[in-house]
Each structure stands twice: as structure tokens, then as C-alpha cells.
Amino acid sequence: MRSSRQQMPTANAEQVEEIEQFDAIIIGAGVTGLYALYRLRELGLSVQAFEDGGGVGGTWYWNRYPGCRFDSESYTYGYSFSEELLQEWDWKELYSGQPENERYLNYVADKFDLRRHIRFNSRVVSAVFNEDENLWQVELEDGHRARGQFLITAIGILSAGYIPNFEGLDSFKGDWCHTGRWPAEGMELAGKRAGVIGTGATGVQLITEIAKEVGHLTVFQRTANYCAPLRNRPIDPETQRKIKANYPEIFKKCNETAGSFVHDFDRRSAMSVSPEERLEQYERLWTEPGFKKWLSNFYDVMMPGEANEDYAEFVRNKIRERVKDPVVAEKLVPKDHMFGSKRLPCESGYYEVYNQDNVLLVDVREAPIECITPNGLKTTDAEYELDVIIFATGYDAVTGSLNKIDIHGVGGQTLKDKFAKGPRTYMGISSAGFPNLFTINAASVGNFVRACEPLVDWVSEAVCYVRDHGYTRISATPEAEAEWTAHVSEAGAKILRTQANSWFVGANIPGKARVLLTSPDTAPVMRAKRAEVAANGYEGFLLQ
Ligand SMILES: Cc1cc2nc3c(=O)[nH]c(=O)nc-3n(C[C@H](O)[C@H](O)[C@H](O)COP(=O)(O)OP(=O)(O)OC[C@H]3O[C@@H](n4cnc5c(N)ncnc54)[C@H](O)[C@@H]3O)c2cc1C
């Protein structure tokens, strides 16, 4: 199917603007958008992607901050759809850094000739469903417009950066930026007095790296996190050979686990073994790379209760052992949330940073930030002189990037209004009254590409089903949506992820409804659920 151009009258009757028309429009060219583009094009659809950034990669294009790297094992994160790609690409490190990840996604875009379907530097500001023609019309910031029967928002779960509304930021005389918009040319940090606000997964990576370079570093911490050693290393040729020979087993294993990671829980309860055996396992896993110490542990470590607290105390003591000043150490020890209720930040020397003479930790729960001043930052306790401020303050997750687009469905209702008290969807993918819109960014979590590939496959097959069966519209029924939304709330209340005030439940954004923003179910359960829905002729969807 080819794209076509239609002559559309604009507000000024004299002017006639050409509006390109496609079968499908994808917003975003990160890992999800790139694969959706590839897949839909393979199925014979005309597809256009619009990307705000100047290149492909999404997360791996924008997050150029020092220290940015995977916590997923690199070789488990890459695409699985092309055996040729798997064999051609050498992951150089167990947990590769942003530059290599961005290179990989550029390599994919070139290898599969995807770039010619992507319009870069193109922020979509609105999307309106035309009920007479069953088409979505999107409009870009620069006024460009395009139309497509299907609209796929591959706009990311963590792509709408959040900076708290600090008074006085405009007056600051130094440089500042959010980690998710790190300048491509870098930031001048050598010898500078830098302040970092935020100590989540990003802050932990950044702080460790820039502490080697800055003159003085002040870290403003609101929440101390459980951080565990990443233990990154290069992938040697023998390991590389083994990885390439074992991709089918690696992906099979990932597909069997809750979060699509290569690690699987120990089926024993931590409390069912002796304290000595329990400690031996904790210590052994601690020496292993990445999430193993989290996701290969006794299964009940990841459930609220005694086992969780037992392991939390083990991790707290690991932190205490590494920080020389006991007062600083105690500030770095998390006490207000359960281990594993937030994504575990992985570190490579984070705690030792606080043993440096030129590093100061400020607890902003004790003394909240009052304002940014021309020369730095003022808390209720003191003023800190800074040349550079870095906001590692996270994201308005999942719905943040959707809310930035003015999306109008049937009857003119907006998605933003509909989602005001939290997302109301069926399986995260579709919302009643928004036909042919796939909010694919609201449906994937865990080891991301493992989760997004099957999701994109499902959406692509749904699109083909609609067309092949002579329908023009597909959207969740109000009943299926209500049932799913209730399920997210009820099942979500029982899982560890909803127990902390994190982005998973929107608690990092003032005024945002506290609702689980992702599915409460495991990846295998979600895949099975979607397969069943499709097998039953897209049960729970209204086909017209
Ligand atoms: C620092 C960091 C580290 C991470 N590490 C891991 C990891 O190790 N493992 C893991 O599984 N996940 C990780 N993640 C999660 C990561 O977001 C996903 O792995 C994955 O990159 C998401 O891909 P995506 O294509 O769905 O979204 P994104 O990569 O966020 O891409 C979305 C794209 O949409 C574009 N966009 C958004 N709105 C618009 C608009 N209105 N118009 C046009 N374009 C728009 C954005 O510019 C962006 O390029 C990490 C996230 C961050 C922030």
C-alpha cells in the first residue's frame, strides 16, 4: 500500500495544503517505534513515523548524560526479530553505555532502511480522529499535518522529563539541564561546582561519573534508594561466541520470567531456609552482575513481608559498610520504602563518592529546597553556590508523554480528560472512544525490548485483522475497559511496585492521580491474555 497526497483546504481558502496520507502513523522512533515501523512496513502498510528528536533511539538518543547505561544485560535487550542482526552485532559490554546503545539503534535503522520513513525534529502536538473518514489527523509543532487510519503512540514510558517547579530557575546565572535532555555537545563540568538534584537510577549513574571530574559536588537527596553493584565488564570473544550461539535459549528464558529479564526467582522462600543458608545466598548473589541479586533471589524477597525486610536490612548494611562517615551513611540508607518496590538502581562506585572530600550530601527532606538563586540553590537551612545544576528529577511516566499531545477521539473527548484520574484502557493498549489508537507506550514494562516486540507484533496483527475483515475501526469496548481498569487497581494494590511513592504510580508528580500506570500482571500472563483476545476475534474490542 502506498502513501497518497490529498489536497486539503486550510483555514485560508486561497491556500491549499497537501496532507500526506498513510495507513499508519507512528509517533516516536525509539526501540518501540523503530520496530513498529519495520513490522507494519513488512506487512505492506504505508507508514510514517514522527520523531521529536534529531535522530533515532528515543531514551538512548536523549540520555547522553555521563554514566548512562543499561541495567538490562545488553544481549537480552537487543531485538530478536532478525537472526542476521543478532549475528552481526557485537555487544561490547555486559551492560553497555548510551553511546553504544545509540549506535546499535542507528545500525538497525540503516540496516532495515527505516530512516526514510521517519521525519525527525517533528513534535506531534495534536491528533484528532475524523469520524466521517475514520482517520487520525496529526499536526506537528511546525504546522505540518498528516493523516493515517491507525495511530500508534510509541512515545515512551520515561520520555516526558519532569523538573519540579522551583522558584527562581530563570534567575540562575550558571548552566542547568535535565538528564533526559543532556546537550549533545556535553556540559562543561571540569573543576566546576556542580549540584545534582535527585538520586534515582539516573542520579546514581550520573553522580558516580561526574564526581571524577567536577571541582565540588553537592547532591540533593529526597529519597535514599537501595542501590546494588552493577559489576559491568567487557564481553570477551568466547562469551560473545556463546551468546550468539545461544540466542534462542536466552530469549526463551527471558520470555518465561515475570519481567522478561534473563533472571528467574529461586522458588524457595527465604524464610524456609536457615539464616546461614539465607545469608550465603544473599552474599553469593551480591557478587553477581546486574539484577541477579534482585530477580534471582528467594521469590518472597519480592513480596511485602518478612523476607523482603530481611533482605532490605542486608542491603542497608552493605551501604553502611561502604560509607566512612556514619552520619552520611545513615542518610544514604533507605528506610521509607520496601526493597524492590522501585526499580533497583545499579551502581559502579556510587557509595564511595560520598567518601570524597569534595562531595556533600544534602537531605532535602530535612531541609527542603526553597528556591534557585542567581548563584545556586537555597534550602530552608543554607544556600549552596553552584556553577551548574543538573536535574536528575525523573519523568512524568507513561501518561506524561500522552498528555503533551492534544488527542481528541469520538465526540471530541480528549484523552487527557479521560485519563485525569489515571489511564482507562483495555490492556494498556486501547481506550474506548479512541478508535484505531494504540497507546503502545502504556503497555510495556520490564526488560523493554523483550516486552515491546511481542506487543508490536500483536498490534500489527490487530491492524491486519481490521483491514482483512473489512472493518474500519477497532477500539476497546467500555465494558472491557472498565473491567481492565478495575483489575489494574485491585491486583495492583497487592504488588510490591505500588508500595513506594515512585513513578510507577505517578507519585513523583504533584497532583497526579496515584494509580499503577502499567499492568500488574507478569509478561507471560500479558502475552497469553493478548493471544486469547486475538484468538477470540478480538474479544473486548469493538470492531466496526
Ligand atoms: C536513563 C534510562 C535508562 C534506562 N535503562 C533501561 C534498561 O537498562 N533496560 C530497560 O529495559 N529499559 C530501560 N529504560 C527504559 C527505556 O525507556 C526503554 O528501555 C525503551 O528505551 C523505551 O523505548 P520506547 O521506544 O518505547 O520509548 P522512548 O525510548 O522513550 O522513545 C520515545 C520517543 O518518542 C518521542 N516522542 C515523544 N513524544 C513525542 C511527540 N509528541 N512527537 C514526536 N515524538 C515524540 C521521543 O522524542 C522519543 O524519542 C531506561 C530508561 C531511562 C530513561
Side-chain angles (χ1 to χ4, degrees):
M1 280 169 252
R2 294 280 143 249
S3 69
S4 61
R5 285 174 191 276
Q6 291 193 339
Q7 301 253 299
M8 295 296 296
T10 61
N12 179 347
E14 299 288 295
Q15 296 171 341
V16 177
E17 188 203 357
E18 278 191 347
I19 299 189
E20 271 193 300
Q21 192 162 310
F22 304 91
D23 295 323
I25 289 175
I26 297 165
I27 314 179
V31 289
T32 309
L34 286 178
Y35 181 55
L37 185 49
Y38 169 82
R39 189 81 164 89
L40 288 170
R41 193 189 60 182
E42 288 295 291
L43 290 168
L45 277 78
S46 63
V47 197
Q48 173 71 45
F50 294 109
E51 166 55 56
D52 187 20
V56 299
T59 291
W60 308 110
Y61 168 85
W62 292 110
N63 285 269
R64 296 161 189 267
Y65 64 83
C68 179
R69 64 175 61 250
F70 280 146
D71 51 24
S72 299
E73 286 70 21
S74 318
Y75 58 91
T76 71
Y77 185 95
Y79 292 114
S80 69
F81 69 86
S82 160
E83 180 58 25
E84 209 175 87
L85 172 65
L86 288 168
Q87 295 306 321
E88 276 171 13
W89 184 262
D90 286 349
W91 289 106
K92 293 185 186 60
E93 293 175 278
L94 213 44
Y95 304 95
S96 79
Q98 176 274 330
E100 191 184 350
N101 304 346
E102 191 187 1
R103 265 196 302 279
Y104 169 73
L105 291 166
N106 274 285
Y107 183 84
V108 170
D110 290 333
K111 180 175 173 63
F112 298 101
D113 192 19
L114 300 176
R115 229 176 270 282
R116 67 194 166 94
H117 305 286
I118 309 170
R119 194 181 193 265
F120 294 106
N121 302 306
S122 298
R123 162 160 284 274
V124 174
V125 290
S126 74
V128 178
F129 186 68
N130 180 320
E131 293 179 50
D132 298 327
E133 299 185 56
N134 296 313
L135 290 173
W136 281 96
Q137 177 160 309
V138 301
E139 182 157 348
L140 307 185
E141 208 168 26
D142 65 8
H144 181 82
R145 294 188 283 175
R147 308 175 111 207
Q149 187 184 0
F150 299 96
L151 179 63
I152 297 170
T153 57
I155 53 182
I157 47 168
L158 298 173
S159 72
Y162 167 68
I163 297 180
N165 193 13
F166 293 125
E167 203 185 301
L169 183 55
D170 288 348
S171 73
F172 183 56
K173 289 195 285 199
D175 293 329
W176 65 268
C177 81
H178 184 275
T179 48
R181 284 293 183 276
W182 197 266
E185 64 282 7
M187 277 194 103
E188 191 50 62
L189 293 171
K192 296 272 172 76
R193 294 166 303 177
V196 175
I197 305 177
T199 54
T202 285
V204 165
Q205 290 182 335
L206 171 92
I207 288 162
T208 312
E209 214 44 45
I210 68 169
K212 298 169 188 164
E213 190 186 356
V214 296
H216 188 274
L217 177 63
T218 311
V219 176
F220 299 92
Q221 171 188 276
R222 184 176 62 178
T223 309
N225 278 299
Y226 300 91
C227 307
L230 180 64
R231 307 204 195 283
N232 189 25
R233 57 170 189 258
I235 294 178
D236 60 60
E238 179 52 18
T239 311
Q240 191 73 259
R241 196 194 56 73
K242 278 194 193 147
I243 290 170
K244 289 193 179 179
N246 286 304
Y247 269 126
E249 290 96 279
I250 292 167
F251 293 142
K252 181 170 179 291
K253 189 157 186 206
C254 290
N255 288 340
E256 287 166 358
T257 68
S260 310
F261 288 95
V262 76
H263 319 291
D264 202 5
F265 289 111
D266 183 338
R267 311 223 167 247
R268 295 173 302 162
S269 157
M271 295 300 137
S272 71
V273 302
S274 68
E276 295 73 28
E277 196 176 345
R278 199 155 60 228
L279 187 61
E280 186 278 322
Q281 166 135 319
Y282 292 169
E283 290 288 2
R284 185 171 41 76
L285 290 176
W286 200 252
T287 64
E288 300 268 4
F291 283 164
K292 212 163 182 167
K293 41 194 98 54
W294 179 28
L295 302 177
S296 292
N297 222 320
F298 300 105
Y299 76 90
D300 49 354
V301 159
M302 274 302 278
M303 293 164 77
E306 202 183 350
N308 179 277
E309 176 51 27
D310 191 64
Y311 191 64
E313 191 54 19
F314 170 83
V315 181
R316 291 185 197 116
N317 286 333
K318 287 288 181 200
I319 298 169
R320 290 180 180 116
E321 279 167 21
R322 289 169 63 183
V323 182
K324 287 185 187 150
D325 182 333
V327 177
V328 177
E330 235 21 66
K331 283 186 181 170
L332 289 165
V333 167
K335 298 179 187 95
D336 65 347
H337 63 281
M338 290 180 230
F339 175 84
S341 56
K342 295 183 174 202
R343 191 160 168 136
L344 181 72
C346 288
E347 50 83 32
S348 308
Y350 175 63
Y351 290 110
E352 285 70 19
V353 163
Y354 296 95
N355 297 332
Q356 290 181 208
D357 292 337
N358 63 340
V359 177
L360 175 69
L361 178 67
V362 176
D363 184 340
V364 297
R365 254 193 234 282
E366 273 172 21
I369 296 174
E370 268 189 347
C371 61
I372 310 286
T373 65
N375 298 317
L377 185 155
K378 194 168 174 296
T379 69
T380 51
D381 245 14
E383 182 162 357
Y384 301 88
E385 295 211 341
L386 303 168
D387 305 312
V388 179
I389 301 177
I390 302 166
F391 294 91
T393 40
Y395 294 89
D396 184 353
V398 185
T399 47
S401 50
L402 279 172
N403 285 343
K404 286 190 169 183
I405 306 173
D406 193 16
I407 301 176
H408 291 253
V410 170
Q413 66 176 319
T414 69
L415 198 70
K416 190 173 177 177
D417 284 347
K418 186 170 176 187
F419 283 10
K421 291 185 184 147
R424 282 172 47 212
T425 70
Y426 183 33
M427 301 189 297
I429 302 174
S430 175
S431 196
F434 293 83
N436 303 345
L437 169 68
F438 294 101
T439 50
I440 200 160
N441 66 305
S444 253
V445 275
N447 193 11
F448 209 85
V449 180
R450 298 282 66 71
C452 87
E453 266 184 340
L455 184 60
V456 167
D457 290 342
W458 190 92
V459 167
S460 307
E461 280 152 26
V463 163
C464 288
Y465 185 91
V466 171
R467 297 178 76 110
D468 295 348
H469 288 77
Y471 297 114
T472 50
R473 293 184 184 189
I474 181 170
S475 63
T477 64
E479 296 77 24
E481 176 184 293
E483 207 176 302
W484 177 257
T485 306
H487 168 66
V488 172
S489 164
E490 282 155 29
K494 296 180 195 134
I495 63 173
L496 203 53
R497 238 181 301 147
T498 57
Q499 309 303 313
N501 288 327
S502 73
W503 61 260
F504 282 123
V505 291
N508 59 327
I509 306 296
K512 190 167 177 174
R514 198 183 200 287
V515 176
L516 178 62
L517 294 165
T518 59
S519 166
D521 297 325
T522 64
V525 168
M526 282 311 297
R527 276 199 312 277
K529 161 102 184 142
R530 289 197 300 261
E532 194 187 328
V533 164
N536 291 336
Y538 293 88
E539 197 175 21
F541 284 88
L542 185 64
L543 289 153
Q544 292 169 292

